[in-house]
Amino acid sequence: MARTARKYAKGASKDVERAMKKRKAGTLKSGGPGRKVKSRKQAIAIGLSEARREGKKVPARKSAKSSAKKSAKKSSKSASKTSTKKTTKKTTKKKSSKKN
């Protein structure tokens, strides 16, 4: 049985664990103004970003840019499918027959 490599370093999981404990204690702060972190997901993100800054093995962040490209691609595909079904309307000119 082959062992698979770890995606996250052990030190990275320690950083996340520390961030989670700080959040639970109510001392984890975020951003410039230093607002308290209430979200579990935000606490994990803070722990992972700190681990990245320290150079620990952590997978790269999923960028918003790539997810926006994917959604734009999907919407353009669906738009192109609907635009090909154009109905053409034949216009016939009625001859006006004026009786003198």
Side-chain angles (χ1 to χ4, degrees):
M1 222 194 278
R3 291 180 65 183
T4 58
R6 287 177 63 100
K7 281 188 178 182
Y8 297 87
K10 287 182 181 179
S13 61
K14 293 278 185 196
D15 285 347
V16 173
E17 188 179 334
R18 183 195 54 74
M20 293 296 284
K21 284 182 178 176
K22 272 189 152 186
R23 179 193 70 100
K24 202 159 192 176
T27 58
L28 185 63
K29 310 242 184 218
S30 170
R35 293 188 177 174
K36 283 185 186 176
V37 173
K38 295 175 185 167
S39 167
R40 178 182 58 87
K41 285 183 179 182
Q42 194 175 2
I44 293 168
I46 289 169
L48 289 175
S49 68
E50 286 174 359
R52 277 190 197 98
R53 242 183 278 141
E54 292 170 12
K56 294 175 182 165
K57 184 183 172 187
V58 180
R61 243 175 78 183
K62 287 188 177 114
S63 68
K65 200 181 283 184
S66 67
S67 64
K69 281 183 184 177
K70 285 179 186 176
S71 64
K73 208 175 203 181
K74 280 184 182 179
S75 65
S76 68
K77 278 187 180 180
S78 63
S80 65
K81 284 181 183 178
T82 56
S83 65
T84 56
K85 296 180 182 178
K86 289 182 181 175
T87 57
T88 56
K89 204 175 200 181
K90 291 184 180 179
T91 56
T92 56
K93 291 183 182 178
K94 290 185 179 180
K95 291 182 181 177
S96 61
S97 57
K98 291 185 180 178
K99 291 183 181 178
N100 294 344

